[in-house]
Amino acid sequence: MSYFSDIYKGIKTLLTGMSVTGGYFLHARKGAITQEYPDNRETLKMFDRFRGEVVMPHNADNRHYCTGCQSCEIACPNGSIEIIWDRAVDPATGKKKKKIDKHIYHLSMCTMCGLCIEACPTDAIVWAPNFENSVYDRSALTKVLNQPGSSVLDGIED
Amino acid sequence: MTDQQVQNKIKTEEYFINMGPQHPAAHGVLRLILTIDGEIIKNVEPDLGYIHRSIEKMCERDSYQQIVHLTDRMDYLSSHINNEAVCLTVEKGLEIEVSDRVKVIRTIIAELTRIASHCLWWGVMGMDLGALTTYFYAFRDREMINDIFEETCGARLTMNYNIPGGLMFDIHPNFVKRTKDFITHFKTKIPEYNLLLTDNVIFHKRTKGVGIITKEDAISFGVSGPVARGSGFSSDVRKHHPYSAYDRVDFKEILFTEGDTFARYQVRMMELWESVSIIEQLIDNIPEGETKTATKAVIKLPKGEFYQRVETARGELGVYINSTGNKNPYRVKFRSPGFSNLSILNHISKDVMIADLVATMASFDFVIPDIDR
Ligand code: SF4
Ligand code: SF4
């Protein structure tokens, strides 16, 4: 007898479950959350704090905030940042001052931990929301963050 | 000869098969060496090391701020709770007290993490037992939590939001609203989960009486988390050794005494309600205050040993730091819940069917990088 009652209960609970899925099937258009990526590239907006890659913003005159202090390089747990720096004579004071030559960022090694950005005293580096980072060659993921010919804004001290 | 006599006469030979390291029913690269007699399992030998990244060794190289982000990659479904464990240990060593605001925010996010983790487990548990639908429903709801994390922390899984001394930055202005929306939404969805899977008779037949762990075994094997509580072993760190804001919220420790797969399933389902209730108690009155207690740029722990345990979604995570007073720890050891829970698998899987082993493993909710580290 329990054999038949088992079959009955099995079918009954199956139908209970199907009533849930059936309910969604009938209201399929309501509350659909699927995003049609990549067709929605134009309208897709990531959250402000989204960690995509580290970038260094430059202003219209090709100036940035990086003094070459190397705090980010020291903070990084896996050596994703290399700072190549130089000394140059500061025209205002006539003294030699540290300046950034190349801020090299290895995106391929970065774990998006955010420690470099926390460590930067002048907020020279920030997160960018770009997440489409697949490339054919690994070397394309090694980036120089300061643009060629750029220099640090006047009056930025670490 | 009767059938029985014929069967006794036919000798079957035991043989080995590998379950994993790449197996659709194993959640990651865990290799189980099964000794089987027909369909009956005689011995289960877990073989580890396929995703060993020597996180403990790497910690000896890193500064205390840098250790935190490595623990994201242990039990990635409880990443925030792992981060919290390391931060609490370091804070203990430095003898600094974080503000109430930090404690409450950490607790809320930890409980959201727990819900997200249990959602994923629920979907995958159904899938392991042949009910694919659960996966989609669970992921729909988990997505909302991931959005909350992404907006506040910047990442969905490996968040690295905690730092020794507090939080990396304050919560996003939308955080409270989004969390409340989620809670309202999720409270209508848990009954749906029950209709879909919990009440299903086929599911009962697959899970009831399967993989029974007695309370004595649970204690002697060092099992923790929902697995231990399914056997009636009261082991919730949040209850027994409250940390962060758990001492100011009211919640029940879920205990079941059957010790079978279905009991472990029920523990997690009830824990969803408890997590929801904890968040509801805290979300409306997040105290004002600092989100960071200032620490030195180079943290040096005093000479000595420091230990802190927390309750992750899988069980008890212990962080042991041995410091010689340098800027790097001398030794770091993680007592991960998955590793201890795995140790009992052989004990309870003798003379069961292979399909029952799959059900048992699903109810253990293994995250393999947590076992291997
Ligand atoms: S986000 Fe972390 S891993 Fe990446 S460059 Fe910055 S410090 Fe290094
Ligand atoms: S990016 Fe910031 S931390 Fe890094 S060298 Fe430049 S100023 Fe220093």
Side-chain angles (χ1 to χ4, degrees):
Chain A
M1 209 48 227
S2 93
Y3 177 72
F4 289 107
S5 76
D6 271 1
I7 293 180
Y8 169 73
K9 270 197 261 164
I11 292 176
K12 191 175 149 230
T13 49
L14 204 61
L15 288 176
T16 321
M18 282 172 79
S19 71
V20 176
T21 46
Y24 280 104
F25 181 70
L26 293 177
H27 303 101
R29 290 194 178 275
K30 203 179 98 210
I33 54 163
T34 317
Q35 294 193 9
E36 288 172 2
Y37 181 81
D39 290 344
N40 67 347
R41 267 218 188 97
E42 267 77 56
T43 51
L44 181 69
K45 177 144 177 15
M46 304 305 288
F47 291 112
D48 300 339
R49 294 181 182 177
F50 177 72
R51 298 176 185 174
E53 62 171 323
V54 177
V55 294
M56 184 182 288
H58 289 63
N59 72 3
D61 301 334
N62 209 12
R63 313 290 288 276
H64 54 72
Y65 292 91
C66 178
T67 57
C69 70
Q70 291 181 294
S71 297
C72 52
E73 189 180 16
I74 297 165
C76 182
N78 43 39
S80 301
I81 292 180
E82 277 174 67
I83 307 286
I84 298 177
W85 54 274
D86 204 354
R87 284 190 196 281
V89 178
D90 188 352
T93 56
K95 283 199 192 116
K96 276 208 165 178
K97 206 176 134 195
K98 204 172 179 181
K99 88 173 210 339
I100 185 100
D101 189 13
K102 269 187 188 156
H103 188 299
I104 302 172
Y105 169 54
H106 301 277
L107 176 56
S108 51
M109 295 191 328
C110 176
T111 54
M112 313 292 166
C113 68
L115 293 177
C116 52
I117 289 171
E118 281 299 295
C120 180
T122 56
D123 291 336
I125 41 177
V126 294
W127 284 116
N130 172 33
F131 60 91
E132 294 171 335
N133 288 325
S134 45
V135 286
Y136 283 106
D137 186 359
R138 192 153 46 125
S139 63
L141 295 173
T142 297
K143 305 182 178 188
V144 179
L145 294 190
N146 56 331
Q147 288 168 7
S150 64
S151 60
V152 64
L153 269 161
D154 295 334
I156 300 290
E157 301 280 342
D158 46 78
Chain B
M1 277 200 289
T2 65
D3 275 2
Q4 193 56 46
Q5 282 167 324
V6 172
Q7 278 206 346
N8 289 346
K9 241 184 137 188
I10 301 172
K11 284 229 167 56
T12 53
E13 210 172 302
E14 288 185 359
Y15 62 103
F16 298 99
I17 57 165
N18 283 319
M19 187 165 155
Q22 303 287 347
H23 191 274
H27 309 170
V29 278
L30 174 67
R31 174 172 170 230
L32 296 176
I33 306 168
L34 308 182
T35 312
I36 54 174
D37 180 5
E39 181 81 356
I40 309 291
I41 295 175
K42 292 293 174 198
N43 193 37
V44 180
E45 197 186 327
D47 182 18
L48 305 177
Y50 287 90
I51 191 160
H52 182 75
R53 292 143 301 165
S54 67
I55 287 185
E56 288 173 6
K57 191 73 191 166
M58 278 200 265
C59 290
E60 294 169 17
R61 174 203 73 183
D62 285 351
S63 75
Y64 289 102
Q65 287 99 331
Q66 291 171 343
I67 291 176
V68 178
H69 92 294
L70 291 173
T71 59
D72 275 339
R73 277 106 188 140
M74 283 169 18
D75 175 0
Y76 45 77
L77 294 176
S78 313
S79 60
H80 177 89
I81 313 178
N82 299 347
N83 294 166
E84 192 179 351
V86 177
C87 292
L88 287 170
T89 321
V90 175
E91 282 154 16
K92 212 181 213 176
L94 291 174
E95 292 176 357
I96 52 176
E97 178 82 12
V98 295
S99 70
D100 279 357
R101 185 177 178 81
V102 173
K103 285 183 184 170
V104 168
I105 294 173
R106 277 182 180 173
T107 311
I108 294 173
I109 298 191
E111 289 310 311
L112 282 173
T113 311
R114 197 181 311 279
I115 295 178
S117 169
H118 283 358
C119 273
L120 189 136
W121 156 81
W122 180 76
V124 173
M125 169 123 194
M127 212 168 70
D128 279 353
L129 301 180
L132 189 67
T133 319
T134 57
Y135 192 77
F136 301 111
Y137 287 81
F139 266 65
R140 174 197 61 194
D141 301 331
R142 187 170 169 273
E143 184 65 26
M144 290 182 76
I145 305 183
N146 278 349
D147 276 350
I148 297 175
F149 290 161
E150 196 178 336
E151 191 168 44
T152 284
C153 317
R156 298 156 65 82
L157 202 63
T158 53
M159 304 185 286
N160 194 30
Y161 185 47
N162 283 303
I163 53 170
L167 305 169
M168 209 174 247
F169 27 70
D170 203 358
I171 49 172
H172 194 274
N174 287 347
F175 177 79
V176 174
K177 189 184 161 293
R178 262 185 197 271
T179 309
K180 279 188 188 160
D181 285 354
F182 169 72
I183 293 296
T184 327
H185 165 88
F186 194 59
K187 280 209 280 195
T188 64
K189 298 302 167 196
I190 307 178
E192 219 167 65
Y193 286 12
N194 290 335
L195 286 179
L196 272 172
L197 194 62
T198 317
D199 300 339
N200 193 304
V201 172
I202 303 166
F203 181 67
H204 290 177
K205 297 253 161 187
R206 285 292 307 274
T207 52
K208 278 192 180 163
V210 170
I212 294 177
I213 304 176
T214 61
K215 188 174 173 183
E216 289 68 39
D217 283 346
I219 294 171
S220 64
F221 278 88
V223 171
S224 64
V227 182
R229 294 197 282 280
S231 307
F233 172 29
S234 160
S235 62
D236 198 328
V237 182
R238 297 175 290 168
K239 204 82 193 164
H240 296 288
H241 306 276
Y243 55 93
S244 291
Y246 286 111
D247 48 357
R248 64 186 78 173
V249 289
D250 181 32
F251 67 101
K252 284 203 298 291
E253 177 176 5
I254 311 292
L255 287 176
F256 279 79
T257 47
E258 290 89 346
D260 59 357
T261 299
F262 193 62
R264 294 190 279 277
Y265 174 88
Q266 278 175 304
V267 170
R268 290 205 181 83
M269 292 312 270
M270 305 278 275
E271 275 190 6
L272 288 176
W273 285 113
E274 293 307 315
S275 295
V276 165
S277 134
I278 293 174
I279 296 172
E280 277 183 326
Q281 290 170 47
L282 293 174
I283 192 74
D284 273 324
N285 31 37
I286 301 177
E288 292 299 318
E290 289 285 309
T291 50
K292 265 183 218 170
T293 309
T295 53
K296 293 213 179 71
V298 178
I299 296 181
K300 286 186 181 168
L301 286 198
K303 205 165 180 298
E305 299 172 310
F306 307 98
Y307 187 74
Q308 170 72 40
R309 42 191 183 164
V310 298
E311 181 80 17
T312 73
R314 256 146 226 89
E316 177 183 329
L317 171 74
V319 178
Y320 167 82
I321 295 181
N322 188 335
S323 165
T324 49
N326 284 336
K327 65 181 184 9
N328 305 335
Y330 176 69
R331 174 82 170 96
V332 176
K333 161 91 182 118
F334 297 110
R335 183 255 181 236
S336 72
F339 188 78
S340 308
N341 290 359
L342 181 67
S343 65
I344 203 171
L345 192 65
N346 188 22
H347 185 72
I348 60 168
S349 302
K350 295 232 159 82
D351 296 320
V352 302
M353 301 281 212
I354 294 179
D356 289 345
L357 177 67
V358 174
T360 314
M361 276 185 53
S363 75
F364 271 67
D365 193 13
F366 287 129
V367 165
I368 314 302
D370 176 45
I371 299 173
D372 263 354
R373 297 192 293 286

